[in-house]
Amino acid sequence: MALEQYRSVSMNFLSCVTFWNRISAQIRYSIQEELKVGTAVGNVAKDLGLDLGRLTDRNLRVVSGTKQDLFKVNPRDGVLLVNQRIDREELCAKTAPCITNLKAVVENPLEMHQVIVEILDVNDNVPRFPEENCTLEVLESAIVGSRFQMEGAQDLDVGLNSLQSYKLNHNQYFRLEIEEFGEEGKVPFLILQRPLDREHAAQHWLLLTANDGGKPSTSGAINITVIVSDINDNSPVCDKQKYTVTIKENANAGTFLLTVNASDSDEGMNGEVEYSLRSKLRGFSSETFDLNSRTGKLTVKGGLDYEEKQVYEIKVLAADKGAVSLSTHCNVVIRVEDVNDNQPEIEITSLSSRIPEDAPPGTVVALMGVTDLDSGVNGQVVCSVPGHLPFDLKPSPDGQSYSLVTNDYLDKETMHMYIITITAKDLGSPALSSTMVIQVDVLDVNDNRPVFTESPYTFYLPENNKAGMSIFSVSAADADGGEHAAVTYSLNRKSQAPTVTSFLNINEADGTISALKSFDFETLKKFQFQVVASDSGTPSLSSNVTVNVFILDQNDNAPVILYPVSSNGSAEGVEEIPRNVNAGHLVTKVRAYDADIGYNGWLLFSLQEVSDHSLFALDRYTGRIRTLRSFTETDEAEHKLLILVKDNGNVSLSATATVLVKVVEPKEAFAASDVKSATKDDEDDNVTFYLMITLGSVSTLFLISIIVLIAMQCSKSTDYTSKYLQEPNYDGTLCHSIQYRSGEKRYMLVGPRMSIGSTIVPGSHANTLMLPDRRHTSGEVNIPLVTWCQCGLGNSCVAHSAQALPISGSSRLEVVC
């Protein structure tokens, strides 16, 4: 609301400031303090005579010279509004009138006008004395009319709302007088109106009241205690009402704080001031600060700690040295500033030091509290644990406590104990930290099955083993600890036929397997069973393994003569041949059988006794007896041939057969019969030849089928073939070949076996056995009779051999799985 408006034109200003298009105008408004934000002060546009229709285009605004934008103008209608809370005491203190200068600026054309806003005071402050109580010492020798100046009250308001009068309660000794002291305003004085008598009344109590002129009026009061003193009528006066200083808590002993200075208008001892600290203040320790009693210098003595006390409000007593000392108190405020001098502290409130390894993630291991006595960022603490451990810290919402939890499953077999270092670090600069070490033991649970050292097991057992003796053993380990790792062994008799496991026994403690019977290769060549390994946990865990047992042949069967055999069962026979047969005539064929296989069953025939070595010859491989020449007249009519049949075992076994050859005179009928017999023999030979061809073809087809199956099963290159090559120089009967299958592995028993001097030739066929040519030194070399070729999924072949047989020349054997 505009209370006064005027406009002045200054031609001199216009001539000096030529950039303004129009003469500036001045507007004055008056408002009360503490008006609500948005209250209208006046219409600047209207009071300046601006066209309201062009206000928006001319961009009307007000600019203040202060940082506070107390007012703003509405650009649409030109109304000046209160923009912030206005406190006259804050803006102008005791200055009257309280003026705020604004500049109203418009454009097109550019104009600037001065706007003066006067802030009117309201009675929002009451008179206040510095203290509610004060003490006044007065010499009893003071004369009537003595004046005692009191510290007046302060009222921040001005004008009628400020301090207007004082009032003293009715008493006999003092009256009140008020004097004006310029800027200090009204100062109360106590006037002694009758002599004091300390012996009659040592103290007087007065009540001084200060009133302002507001409507309604407000007031403040102070209690005055007058102490009547016999001597020394002037008290020391401090040069400051309050001393204030700030010091860091880590200040060294002897650090200077401030100097307290008090003066006394008396002379001599009555005017010499001595300083001392009051020792009966709450929270004050004489060990904290040191005061020089002569100079008034206050220094740090030691023991500052922000965490214990942040502010010290102490009083320094300034007393003169009069006979009756007069004194005054100088107020000193010491503020202690925090530094980061306290490490965080970790307190474990709950701990579970033994955690089962199957505890789920999130299991609480420990609860802890974290404290830091510092303040602000110096007291903010962050805790952490090493990232490679399966543990994590979960803070509480207030950040003052943490819970240590697992963030993954534990495994005692991998780590049976964890040493966890918890680090607490504050956010100060430089940061301080502390650590706490927690040991967590992982309790074992039965979560691992026994594991066999091999799977499956493959054992090769020579026949004719001693019954009741251990033949082999299996072993399994359990990764668990304690009783959970104790393994016992048993035979899985449910999954196997009773005939397989009935003759086996296993030691529960060490897995040693013994046979309750002696094995015979000719009866049983291989068998399979399962062993169960069980731990001692609750519940117990177990695992199975398949055991493949292959019986190795031994030369325990002597050759059996099949022909000739006499009626009484002896190996004797009589053959009659005409005298006129030619050389090469087939006399007979000795047939024999050996129940063993391989070289143990490979038979050789030899003449042990013969009446005439020039007449008969024996094929050492086929057992055929033929004539070497024609008979003469001088040859005897009866010849006895003793034939030895032996196998090729390491310890050779043999049998003998006796053939009596009678030479008879030829007759026509006998000759015809002999011709038929010879023809029949030739026909028999032809039939045998065709049968051998057929058998060879079928065997070849069967062998090819086996090779194809093996090639499909093995992961080796298909370039490997499975065949048995027999060189022309190879001596002996046909070798035996037996194939076994156990799970995903196959076993093939073939012959012959390489000798100790044989080598495995590297190259495209890593399984070719080469026998060195020793024809220069000996006509015979030892080659393997039996070779076990074990092939698995990894395409590795392991050759196992047993027994040897002499063979002439250099032979080559390829065994491919």
Side-chain angles (χ1 to χ4, degrees):
M1 191 66 182
L3 301 177
E4 179 181 356
Q5 175 181 344
Y6 63 91
R7 176 179 298 174
S8 64
V9 179
S10 176
M11 297 303 295
N12 294 331
F13 179 77
L14 180 62
S15 63
C16 295
V17 186
T18 59
F19 58 87
W20 297 111
N21 292 333
R22 293 190 59 184
I23 300 173
S24 61
Q26 187 179 74
I27 307 173
R28 185 182 184 94
Y29 300 100
S30 295
I31 62 170
Q32 291 184 343
E33 63 174 328
E34 304 294 343
L35 290 179
K36 292 183 179 180
V37 176
T39 301
V41 177
N43 194 316
V44 175
K46 185 176 180 181
D47 294 337
L48 291 176
L50 301 178
D51 186 1
L52 297 180
R54 296 186 56 204
L55 283 182
T56 304
D57 296 336
R58 299 194 66 184
N59 190 20
L60 174 63
R61 60 189 183 277
V62 292
V63 178
S64 63
T66 63
K67 296 182 179 180
Q68 295 181 342
D69 295 327
L70 300 177
F71 302 93
K72 67 178 180 178
V73 66
N74 190 328
R76 293 187 300 273
D77 56 10
V79 176
L80 184 66
L81 303 174
V82 176
N83 190 41
Q84 294 182 11
R85 173 182 173 270
I86 300 175
D87 186 356
R88 192 206 64 80
E89 289 74 29
E90 181 180 351
L91 290 175
C92 302
K94 289 291 186 177
T95 302
C98 182
I99 301 298
T100 298
N101 294 311
L102 305 175
K103 295 186 184 298
V105 181
V106 292
E107 300 173 356
N108 301 319
L110 181 63
E111 298 179 12
M112 183 175 69
H113 305 277
Q114 186 175 6
V115 179
I116 299 175
V117 180
E118 180 182 359
I119 309 301
L120 301 179
D121 182 60
V122 295
N123 191 22
D124 57 345
N125 292 281
V126 299
R128 294 184 184 276
F129 288 94
E131 296 179 347
E132 294 182 358
N133 302 285
C134 74
T135 302
L136 177 64
E137 292 185 1
V138 180
L139 290 173
E140 64 176 346
S141 60
I143 61 175
V144 175
S146 298
R147 298 165 61 86
F148 302 96
Q149 181 180 348
M150 305 301 297
E151 188 171 1
Q154 297 294 327
D155 193 337
L156 298 179
D157 295 323
V158 296
L160 293 177
N161 295 327
S162 65
L163 178 64
Q164 297 296 320
S165 62
Y166 290 93
K167 181 180 179 181
L168 184 66
N169 67 318
H170 179 71
N171 66 92
Q172 298 178 4
Y173 294 93
F174 295 91
R175 61 181 175 84
L176 180 65
E177 284 187 3
I178 306 298
E179 291 185 9
E180 293 284 345
F181 277 79
E183 293 181 357
E184 292 184 8
K186 296 177 173 59
V187 177
F189 286 85
L190 296 181
I191 308 300
L192 185 63
Q193 59 182 0
R194 60 181 296 179
L196 297 175
D197 187 0
R198 182 180 177 278
E199 289 69 28
H200 182 267
Q203 293 183 350
H204 301 276
W205 291 273
L206 307 176
L207 178 63
L208 179 61
T209 304
N211 299 289
D212 62 16
K215 293 183 180 181
S217 177
T218 59
S219 63
I222 184 173
N223 295 311
I224 302 174
T225 302
V226 178
I227 299 176
V228 180
S229 179
D230 288 336
I231 56 175
N232 196 10
D233 58 346
N234 290 290
S235 299
V237 178
C238 298
D239 61 351
K240 291 183 180 180
Q241 183 178 356
K242 180 183 291 186
Y243 296 85
T244 303
V245 67
T246 301
I247 189 69
K248 291 185 179 295
E249 64 173 325
N250 60 349
N252 297 325
T255 301
F256 172 75
L257 293 175
L258 52 85
T259 299
V260 178
N261 185 29
S263 58
D264 195 317
S265 59
D266 294 327
E267 294 181 351
M269 296 298 292
N270 294 333
E272 188 176 342
V273 180
E274 190 175 39
Y275 304 93
S276 63
L277 292 173
R278 292 192 59 180
S279 60
K280 295 184 179 180
L281 289 177
R282 182 179 60 184
F284 175 75
S285 174
S286 60
E287 297 179 356
T288 307
F289 303 102
D290 192 13
L291 179 66
N292 189 308
S293 61
R294 184 177 62 83
T295 63
K297 286 186 177 181
L298 187 65
T299 57
V300 175
K301 192 174 183 179
L304 289 180
D305 190 353
Y306 177 87
E307 288 69 40
E308 292 184 3
K309 191 173 183 61
Q310 296 80 39
V311 179
Y312 291 88
E313 294 184 1
I314 63 177
K315 290 185 179 295
V316 176
L317 181 66
D320 58 29
K321 295 183 179 181
V324 178
S325 178
L326 298 179
S327 64
T328 187
H329 292 94
C330 301
N331 297 320
V332 179
V333 177
I334 302 173
R335 302 185 186 275
V336 181
E337 185 176 310
D338 182 48
V339 295
N340 192 23
D341 59 343
N342 290 279
Q343 292 182 339
E345 295 182 359
I346 304 174
E347 181 183 4
I348 303 299
T349 58
S350 177
L351 174 63
S352 299
S353 60
R354 298 167 63 85
I355 303 297
E357 62 177 325
D358 61 347
T363 300
V364 177
V365 178
L367 298 177
M368 65 197 73
V370 182
T371 57
D372 193 317
L373 298 178
D374 295 320
S375 63
V377 294
N378 296 333
Q380 297 179 12
V381 181
V382 177
C383 292
S384 62
V385 295
H388 66 278
L389 298 180
F391 298 92
D392 198 4
L393 285 174
K394 300 295 184 184
S396 62
D398 59 0
Q400 300 300 315
S401 62
Y402 287 83
S403 58
L404 179 65
V405 299
T406 60
N407 62 7
D408 199 353
Y409 284 97
L410 306 179
D411 187 2
K412 184 181 185 299
E413 290 68 43
T414 302
M415 183 68 69
H416 69 282
M417 179 185 66
Y418 290 93
I419 302 297
I420 306 171
T421 301
I422 302 171
T423 303
K425 184 176 182 181
D426 62 30
L427 301 181
S429 179
L432 299 179
S433 63
S434 60
T435 59
M436 172 76 70
V437 177
I438 294 178
Q439 176 177 326
V440 176
D441 297 323
V442 182
L443 299 180
D444 183 51
V445 297
N446 193 25
D447 59 345
N448 290 278
R449 298 178 181 274
V451 178
F452 286 93
T453 56
E454 298 181 30
S455 181
Y457 280 93
T458 301
F459 297 103
Y460 304 95
L461 178 66
E463 63 175 334
N464 302 320
N465 60 295
K466 187 175 181 180
M469 298 296 291
S470 61
I471 52 179
F472 43 77
S473 65
V474 297
S475 177
D478 196 312
D480 294 320
E483 62 179 11
H484 297 157
V487 180
T488 58
Y489 304 90
S490 63
L491 296 177
N492 188 357
R493 303 183 186 275
K494 295 182 180 180
S495 62
Q496 302 292 330
T499 55
V500 177
T501 56
S502 60
F503 48 80
L504 297 177
N505 188 28
I506 188 169
N507 188 314
E508 293 184 355
D510 59 12
T512 301
I513 300 174
S514 57
L516 303 180
K517 59 174 288 187
S518 179
F519 296 105
D520 183 11
F521 177 82
E522 288 71 33
T523 304
L524 180 65
K525 293 179 173 56
K526 69 181 182 73
F527 62 90
Q528 184 184 86
F529 63 95
Q530 285 189 336
V531 176
V532 180
S534 304
D535 59 27
S536 301
T538 304
S540 177
L541 299 178
S542 62
S543 59
N544 300 343
V545 68
T546 300
V547 180
N548 297 300
V549 180
F550 297 93
I551 308 301
L552 299 180
D553 181 48
Q554 290 185 333
N555 194 23
D556 59 344
N557 291 280
V560 177
I561 305 299
L562 299 179
Y563 180 83
V565 178
S566 63
S567 60
N568 60 2
S570 62
E572 295 182 355
V574 178
E575 296 290 337
E576 293 182 353
I577 60 173
R579 185 178 291 274
N580 60 349
V581 295
N582 297 323
H585 176 75
L586 178 64
V587 177
T588 187
K589 181 178 180 180
V590 178
R591 293 180 176 87
Y593 167 76
D594 194 318
D596 295 320
I597 69 166
Y599 282 94
N600 293 330
W602 190 2
L603 303 181
L604 295 178
F605 303 85
S606 64
L607 282 173
Q608 295 295 104
E609 297 180 8
V610 62
S611 58
D612 190 346
H613 289 281
S614 64
L615 279 177
F616 301 98
L618 175 65
D619 191 314
R620 65 179 302 184
Y621 305 118
T622 63
R624 291 176 179 176
I625 303 174
R626 295 181 182 273
T627 58
L628 294 175
R629 62 180 177 81
S630 300
F631 289 95
T632 63
E633 293 296 331
T634 59
D635 291 330
E636 295 182 1
E638 183 174 323
H639 300 271
K640 180 179 179 181
L641 282 71
L642 180 62
I643 301 169
L644 175 66
V645 182
K646 67 175 182 178
D647 57 30
N648 283 277
N650 288 333
V651 178
S652 180
L653 300 179
S654 63
T656 58
T658 303
V659 177
L660 294 178
V661 179
K662 294 182 178 182
V663 181
V664 297
E665 295 297 329
K667 296 181 180 180
E668 293 297 331
F670 183 75
S673 174
D674 183 59
V675 172
K676 290 182 180 179
S677 177
T679 304
K680 186 175 183 301
D681 287 340
D682 293 337
E683 290 176 356
D684 290 340
D685 289 342
N686 292 334
V687 171
T688 302
F689 177 73
Y690 294 137
L691 288 175
M692 291 180 63
I693 291 176
T694 303
L695 180 59
S697 300
V698 173
S699 300
T700 302
L701 292 175
F702 177 76
L703 184 58
I704 292 174
S705 301
I706 294 298
I707 292 173
V708 172
L709 291 176
I710 293 175
M712 293 175 63
Q713 294 294 329
C714 293
S715 59
K716 282 285 189 180
S717 172
T718 56
D719 292 337
Y720 295 125
T721 60
S722 178
K723 56 185 177 178
Y724 171 68
L725 302 178
Q726 184 173 357
E727 298 291 340
N729 293 332
Y730 183 74
D731 294 338
T733 60
L734 292 176
C735 67
H736 294 267
S737 174
I738 299 178
Q739 297 185 14
Y740 299 91
R741 183 178 183 88
S742 174
E744 296 181 353
K745 294 185 178 181
R746 296 178 307 283
Y747 306 87
M748 181 182 294
L749 176 63
V750 298
R753 180 189 67 176
M754 70 176 180
S755 65
I756 298 176
S758 302
T759 58
I760 298 179
V761 179
S764 61
H765 300 284
N767 48 9
T768 301
L769 305 182
M770 292 298 297
L771 302 181
D773 188 358
R774 299 182 180 177
R775 287 176 292 181
H776 299 289
T777 58
S778 175
E780 294 182 341
V781 295
N782 290 331
I783 66 172
L785 169 62
V786 180
T787 298
W788 293 94
C789 179
Q790 174 182 345
C791 298
L793 295 178
N795 301 325
S796 61
C797 294
V798 180
H800 309 272
S801 57
Q803 302 183 8
L805 179 70
I807 184 168
S808 61
S810 175
S811 297
R812 178 186 179 94
L813 174 62
E814 290 190 2
V815 181
V816 180
C817 299

